[in-house]
């Protein structure tokens, strides 16, 4: 499948979203369009799987009559297999294409009111998993798709009409799921999530990290590795960052994540399944990561995160005896949870692992408890491997400059910390700044080879960091000062004299014109 097909698919999906969302906000309609794409994916996956089982019998899944004894036997046998392999089950009449057909039928006596049918089918997908290993992964997955919401239409008929339209448009698109070489639908899904993020302003930060930043984080934590036992994102949003890490290696055995926002948590689970990550291979939980960590006994080989910048947290005194924070002697400030996330991630990092997270620049140099935590991480533990300054205005909804901090428990270069200043290396795309492919390659190769380059990167000894009182502000280490050209005073004086003479000549000329015209001179 070609790159052209991928672009075409992305455009088709975005056009559907844009045309049919009417007056709804992009982030509101997002839940519906992404949910319907996911339902279509599950249905097509189910049909392909069932057709494969039925091939020896020379029939197709949609040929089965659900009302006959023979049909019921077939369905029960397929159901058992599907629940083990796919983690869910759909009957032939519940397939996306069948519902789309009913919703847009012109045949008399064929009811095309599908709202109740559709709501029941989405509930049935979840109910089919009850009591199975995949139950948690499908639990309330479609809860944000309220088909009775007045946002979709004032009355049931109007809502039915718009939903039938969406299904009809989507039904015409071939997801080509039988072709497993390219993850085209997964990429298109990511594309849509990104498009919705750019239209959602501040809200976008809850569920999306720009792909360019994701690539940098993913490439850093996979340095020197072709396989990963586990990857973890404590603030996983839509799961894009976890999936980006998987693209950098041949295999990831298990994916772990935690997300506070319920809608975004649902999106992350859909995103995993849609990228063909088997339900047994991912464990995404919904809860406040700092207050109620869900993977407390796990250690991970790669950790990536883009936590909410300088978020509030309880900083409850009880946390001083929590193993994640107790050894530091101080908790991160109540109004700035940045280092609480760092501490949480360090706790979960395996000895052979690498973690990289995005933080606001203030985390590099603020004093008080944060300075105390930086000192512990550098002086006592020597875990800080690199600090990378990113350009301002590359995240949706905020223009503040950010940085990436990289930590390792067993560092290959324990004698220094690498500082990279990539803040001026970007492309302007509309109102956002963006890292280009060259910018990404430069950051990653500089990190991997620990290169020093004038005005771009510098390896600071631990003694230098101590001398700077654990202030990690990048300009203290990477000198980006540009010397101004020397001014030759004599040349300037000669130029001014020349301008004076020219001015006098012009005034004389203007005076002669004024005399001829018998008017006053303006000077």
């Amino acid at each position: 499948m070609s790159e052209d097909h991928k672009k075409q698919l992305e455009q088709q999906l975005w056009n559907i979203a844009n045309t049919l969302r009417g007056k709804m906000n992009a982030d509101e309609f997002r839940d519906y369009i992404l949910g319907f794409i996911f339902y279509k994916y599950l249905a097509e996956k189910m049909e392909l799987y069932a057709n494969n089982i039925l091939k020896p019998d020379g029939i197709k899944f949609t040929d089965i009559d659900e009302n006959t004894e023979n049909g019921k036997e077939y369905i029960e046998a397929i159901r058992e297999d599907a629940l083990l392999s796919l983690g869910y089950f759909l009957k032939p009449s519940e397939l996306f294409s069948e519902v789309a057909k009913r919703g847009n039928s012109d045949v008399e006596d064929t009811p095309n009111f599908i709202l109740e049918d559709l709501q029941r089918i989405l509930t049935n997908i979840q109910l089919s998993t009850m009591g199975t290993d995949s139950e948690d992964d499908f639990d309330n997955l479609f809860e944000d798709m309220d088909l009775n919401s007045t946002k979709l239409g004032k009355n049931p008929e109007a809502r039915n009409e718009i939903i039938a339209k969406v299904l009809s448009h989507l039904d015409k698109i071939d997801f080509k799921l039988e072709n497993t070489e390219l993850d085209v639908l997964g990429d298109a899904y990511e594309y849509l999530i990104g498009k919705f993020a750019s239209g959602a302003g501040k809200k976008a930060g809850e569920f999306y990290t720009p792909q360019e930043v994701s690539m940098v984080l993913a490439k850093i934590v996979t340095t020197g590795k072709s396989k990963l036992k586990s990857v973890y994102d404590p603030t996983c949003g839509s799961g894009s960052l976890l999936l980006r890490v998987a693209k950098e290696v041949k295999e990831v055995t298990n994916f772990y994540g935690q997300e506070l926002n319920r809608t975004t948590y649902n999106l992350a689970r859909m995103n995993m399944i849609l990228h063909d990550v088997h339900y047994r291979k991912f464990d995404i939980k919904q809860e406040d990561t700092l207050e109620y960590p869900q993977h407390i006994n796990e250690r991970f080989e790669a950790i990536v995160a883009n936590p909410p910048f300088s978020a509030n947290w309880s900083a409850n005194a009880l946390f001083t005896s929590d193993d994640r924070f107790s050894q530091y002697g101080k908790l991160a400030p109540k109004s700035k949870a940045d280092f609480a996330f760092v501490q949480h991630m360090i706790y979960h990092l395996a000895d052979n692992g690498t973690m990289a997270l995005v933080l606001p620049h203030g985390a590099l140099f603020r004093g008080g408890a944060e300075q105390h935590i930086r000192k512990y991480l550098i002086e006592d533990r020597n875990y800080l491997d690199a600090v990378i300054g990113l350009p301002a205005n590359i995240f949706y909804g905020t223009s503040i400059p950010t940085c990436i901090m990289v930590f390792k428990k067993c560092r290959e270069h324990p004698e220094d910390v690498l500082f990279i200043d990539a803040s001026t290396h970007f492309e302007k795309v509309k109102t956002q700044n963006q890292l280009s492919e060259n910018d990404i390659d430069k950051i990653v190769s500089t990190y991997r080879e620990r290169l020093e380059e004038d005005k771009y990167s510098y390896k600071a000894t631990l003694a230098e960091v101590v001398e700077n009182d654990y202030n990690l502000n990048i300009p203290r280490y990477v000198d980006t000062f540009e010397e101004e050209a020397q001014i030759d005073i004599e040349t300037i004086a000669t130029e001014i004299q020349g301008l004076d003479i020219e001015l006098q000549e012009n005034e004389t000329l203007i005076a002669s014109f004024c005399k001829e015209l018998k008017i006053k001179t303006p000077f």
Side-chain angles (χ1 to χ4, degrees):
M1 198 182 291
S2 67
E3 190 71 18
D4 284 346
H5 178 81
K6 181 182 137 185
K7 286 204 168 79
Q8 187 187 339
L9 180 60
E10 288 172 352
Q11 200 53 53
Q12 280 176 302
L13 293 175
W14 180 242
N15 287 345
I16 292 168
N18 226 21
T19 308
L20 300 174
R21 72 181 173 91
K23 292 177 182 174
M24 287 173 77
N25 291 331
D27 57 316
E28 287 174 335
F29 196 71
R30 179 194 77 207
D31 302 330
Y32 292 97
I33 192 74
L34 294 180
F36 285 133
I37 291 168
F38 182 62
Y39 165 41
K40 177 173 161 70
Y41 167 82
L42 292 181
E44 289 192 8
K45 191 97 172 161
M46 179 70 237
E47 191 174 0
L48 277 173
Y49 181 77
N51 284 344
N52 206 36
I53 291 174
L54 295 166
K55 202 180 273 182
D57 294 0
I59 60 169
K60 291 194 168 182
F61 193 43
T62 48
D63 296 336
I64 295 174
D65 185 343
E66 296 173 30
N67 300 312
T68 65
E69 281 307 310
N70 191 36
K72 285 175 184 173
E73 282 176 24
Y74 267 126
I75 283 170
E76 192 48 43
I78 292 166
R79 183 180 180 279
E80 282 180 29
D81 276 4
L83 287 174
L84 276 172
S85 297
L86 302 178
Y88 65 93
F89 176 71
L90 283 161
K91 293 177 188 172
S93 60
E94 295 175 331
L95 296 176
F96 185 97
S97 53
E98 296 300 308
V99 179
K101 215 179 286 175
R102 291 201 293 276
N104 293 278
S105 173
D106 294 328
V107 181
E108 279 187 48
D109 301 326
T110 303
N112 59 4
F113 189 79
I114 55 168
L115 275 191
E116 288 167 9
D117 251 11
L118 194 50
Q119 196 75 67
R120 180 181 51 77
I121 291 165
L122 297 181
T123 305
N124 282 353
I125 292 172
Q126 180 198 326
L127 291 177
S128 76
T129 69
M130 297 285 272
T132 71
D133 291 346
S134 61
E135 183 178 352
D136 285 350
D137 299 311
F138 284 84
D139 181 42
N140 287 319
L141 204 49
F142 293 100
E143 68 182 346
D144 294 301
M145 288 176 66
D146 180 5
L147 302 183
N148 293 309
S149 169
T150 50
K151 288 173 185 172
L152 285 169
K154 286 183 180 175
N155 53 50
E157 288 72 26
R159 294 196 282 277
N160 189 76
E161 190 183 334
I162 194 162
I163 286 168
K165 263 190 200 173
V166 173
L167 298 195
S168 170
H169 280 280
L170 283 176
D171 197 40
K172 289 170 190 161
I173 298 174
D174 185 358
F175 285 174
K176 303 199 181 205
L177 295 187
E178 65 279 3
N179 186 322
T180 54
E181 286 172 34
L182 276 177
D183 188 10
V184 175
L185 183 60
D187 288 346
Y189 206 68
E190 287 284 306
Y191 167 83
L192 272 186
I193 292 171
K195 290 289 276 183
F196 280 122
S198 63
K202 284 189 178 179
K203 291 183 183 178
E206 291 175 8
F207 65 88
Y208 192 70
T209 302
Q211 268 194 331
E212 298 77 24
V213 179
S214 294
M215 283 173 79
V216 174
L217 293 169
K219 286 175 186 291
I220 284 172
V221 299
T222 55
T223 297
K225 299 191 176 182
S226 59
K227 288 182 180 180
L228 286 174
K229 283 182 185 171
S230 56
V231 59
Y232 170 61
D233 182 344
T235 57
C236 71
S238 61
S240 304
L241 200 38
L242 290 169
L243 291 162
R244 184 71 241 179
V245 172
K247 287 189 174 182
E248 297 299 327
V249 288
K250 288 175 187 168
E251 186 190 342
V252 174
T253 307
N254 291 106
F255 299 81
Y256 297 84
Q258 191 165 333
E259 172 55 38
L260 175 61
N261 182 293
R262 180 77 194 182
T263 300
T264 313
Y265 159 69
N266 290 339
L267 189 54
R269 291 185 295 163
M270 286 184 190
N271 208 3
M272 286 284 152
I273 294 164
L274 204 130
H275 277 82
D276 216 19
V277 177
H278 196 276
Y279 69 87
R280 287 195 188 95
K281 290 186 70 171
F282 72 86
D283 180 10
I284 311 268
K285 301 288 190 194
Q286 191 243 328
E287 204 27 286
D288 185 312
T289 301
L290 297 178
E291 308 290 337
Y292 306 104
Q294 299 294 299
H295 303 98
I296 203 70
N297 297 318
E298 303 286 347
R299 297 297 176 270
F300 307 108
E301 196 175 350
I303 303 180
V304 283
N306 173 22
F309 300 149
S310 301
N312 293 321
W313 76 303
S314 70
N316 192 311
L318 292 171
F319 282 131
T320 53
S321 58
D322 185 310
D323 287 346
R324 294 173 296 161
F325 312 109
S326 56
Q327 59 192 296
Y328 294 84
K330 287 202 176 178
L331 296 173
K334 202 171 183 176
S335 62
K336 291 179 178 66
D338 302 313
F339 272 99
F341 282 109
V342 172
Q343 290 167 314
H344 171 88
M345 290 165 73
I346 292 278
Y347 173 82
H348 281 291
L349 186 65
D351 287 343
N352 67 334
T354 305
M355 68 175 245
L357 78 162
V358 181
L359 292 172
H361 259 220
L364 298 176
F365 52 78
R366 289 189 296 245
E370 291 180 300
Q371 182 186 26
H372 180 89
I373 294 166
R374 286 197 303 271
K375 180 180 178 183
Y376 180 82
L377 287 168
I378 296 163
E379 189 179 76
D380 288 54
R381 287 284 172 247
N382 196 8
Y383 287 166
L384 180 64
D385 199 45
V387 177
I388 302 162
L390 296 174
N393 199 33
I394 56 171
F395 286 89
Y396 298 117
T398 179
S399 58
I400 64 167
T402 52
C403 65
I404 293 172
M405 293 184 83
V406 185
F407 293 90
K408 285 182 172 187
K409 286 186 175 174
C410 298
R411 300 208 296 132
E412 294 88 348
H413 305 276
E415 66 287 344
D416 57 49
V417 176
L418 179 66
F419 287 84
I420 299 172
D421 185 354
S423 60
T424 58
H425 297 253
F426 62 87
E427 288 178 347
K428 190 95 178 155
V429 181
K430 292 181 184 173
T431 56
Q432 293 286 132
N433 294 335
Q434 205 173 79
L435 295 172
S436 70
E437 203 175 315
N438 287 341
D439 298 330
I440 293 167
D441 289 345
K442 189 173 172 69
I443 292 170
V444 174
S445 61
T446 303
Y447 170 75
R448 286 179 173 171
E449 295 165 43
R450 294 188 86 77
L451 300 171
E452 285 190 305
E453 184 184 314
D454 191 34
K455 302 191 185 335
Y456 185 74
S457 60
Y458 178 73
K459 287 188 289 193
T461 63
L462 296 181
E464 285 176 86
V465 177
V466 173
E467 198 180 309
N468 276 305
D469 211 11
Y470 307 97
N471 183 323
L472 305 175
N473 201 14
I474 297 166
R476 287 185 174 235
Y477 303 94
V478 181
D479 182 10
T480 55
F481 179 73
E482 294 282 352
E483 261 191 43
E484 290 183 16
Q486 284 194 334
I487 296 169
D488 187 333
I489 299 295
E490 282 191 20
T491 305
I492 298 291
T494 306
E495 281 177 13
I496 292 170
Q497 282 174 351
L499 288 170
D500 279 343
I501 293 164
E502 200 178 317
L503 182 64
Q504 283 170 11
E505 288 171 355
N506 286 336
E507 284 179 353
T508 305
L509 186 61
I510 290 166
S512 68
F513 288 151
C514 291
K515 193 175 180 183
E516 276 181 46
L517 295 167
K518 295 179 181 176
I519 58 171
K520 279 187 180 179
T521 57
F523 38 78

